[in-house]
Amino acid sequence: MDMTTSTRVKEALGISGIGSDTVLGQMVTSASYEIEHLMDRHVQRTARTEVYQMRATKKLVLLKGYPVDTGAAFTIKLSQNGDFSTASALDPYTEYVLDAQRGEVRILGGLEPLRDADSGRPIAPIYVQVTYTGGMATTTSSFISSHPELAQACDMQVVHMYKRRATPGQTSTDMGDSSASYQAELGVIKIAADSARRHRRMVWGG
């Protein structure tokens, strides 16, 4: 899902008309994807089924889509090998605890991991299938309202991309016998990277 709109970017650039709408729309989508990737979490709030690998010693699953919609269906199944065809859903009252705001699921019981026959140590993760609805916002407009810092960072990233559209690669220009000007490859600017880091999904203990 896009984090901003081409209209906002055009205002930041000080341009008007529809001539740049197509390229700006593509850049908005590209910049949104890059920032979402840096955050390692889902921007759009929607229903999804995902499979995570959980360390047997931690019993903690950190969902990529949060906050979690507690009014929607939420089920968890465990498997030793990733096959959930015969797995039963865990009991929400006795077998797991959900922190919906942070997207953290603490497993209280359920399946034991595969263990080494001699040492008894776990030799494989437990596979966790989660069906849920979660994410930061349902639409671009609601995302802009609820996360203005990230929307502004995306605006600035697209402005940067638009101004560098003719020279996206690494360049250098001779300025005489002993000096040169240098321009790095097009990448994520600091304000966008910093904003993404502040909203990044934490994976400690997972």
Side-chain angles (χ1 to χ4, degrees):
M1 187 180 77
D2 290 346
M3 296 183 179
T4 189
T5 65
S6 57
T7 299
R8 284 170 52 99
V9 175
K10 285 196 292 186
E11 290 176 355
L13 285 166
I15 62 177
S16 59
I18 63 173
S20 58
D21 282 6
T22 298
V23 66
L24 284 177
Q26 294 169 345
M27 289 179 176
V28 164
T29 298
S30 177
S32 299
Y33 173 82
E34 290 298 330
I35 295 173
E36 181 174 21
H37 179 72
L38 288 175
M39 293 192 299
D40 191 29
R41 59 185 291 194
H42 299 308
V43 170
Q44 186 167 28
R45 184 178 303 152
T46 189
R48 48 175 54 93
T49 296
E50 297 174 332
V51 175
Y52 297 83
Q53 293 185 23
M54 179 181 70
R55 292 167 57 186
T57 56
K58 295 297 182 182
K59 296 295 183 73
L60 181 67
V61 180
L62 304 173
L63 302 177
K64 287 190 173 184
Y66 63 92
V68 175
D69 183 354
T70 56
F74 188 94
T75 60
I76 299 180
K77 296 180 180 180
L78 304 181
S79 169
Q80 290 180 325
N81 58 11
D83 180 6
F84 299 93
S85 58
T86 60
S88 299
L90 297 187
D91 186 332
Y93 299 101
T94 62
E95 295 182 304
Y96 71 85
V97 175
L98 169 66
D99 183 334
Q101 188 63 31
R102 296 167 61 93
E104 297 179 359
V105 184
R106 178 72 63 177
I107 306 298
L108 304 177
L111 193 68
E112 278 293 308
L114 295 174
R115 296 182 181 275
D116 180 80
D118 296 323
S119 66
R121 295 178 179 176
I123 58 175
I126 294 175
Y127 295 87
V128 185
Q129 182 190 78
V130 188
T131 299
Y132 70 109
T133 297
M136 301 176 77
T138 55
T139 65
T140 296
S141 60
S142 61
F143 178 85
I144 292 170
S145 297
S146 59
H147 298 86
E149 174 200 5
L150 282 168
Q152 178 69 18
C154 192
D155 290 340
M156 295 300 98
Q157 178 65 35
V158 179
V159 167
H160 176 64
M161 294 167 66
Y162 186 79
K163 291 184 175 180
R164 285 285 308 275
R165 65 191 185 281
T167 56
Q170 176 178 301
T171 62
S172 61
T173 303
D174 291 336
M175 299 291 290
D177 294 335
S178 60
S179 64
S181 63
Y182 171 80
Q183 189 173 46
E185 290 186 1
L186 180 64
V188 178
I189 60 176
K190 187 175 186 300
I191 185 175
D194 288 348
S195 294
R197 186 180 65 251
R198 286 190 287 270
H199 293 272
R200 182 174 172 78
R201 167 178 169 255
M202 300 301 292
V203 295
W204 49 266

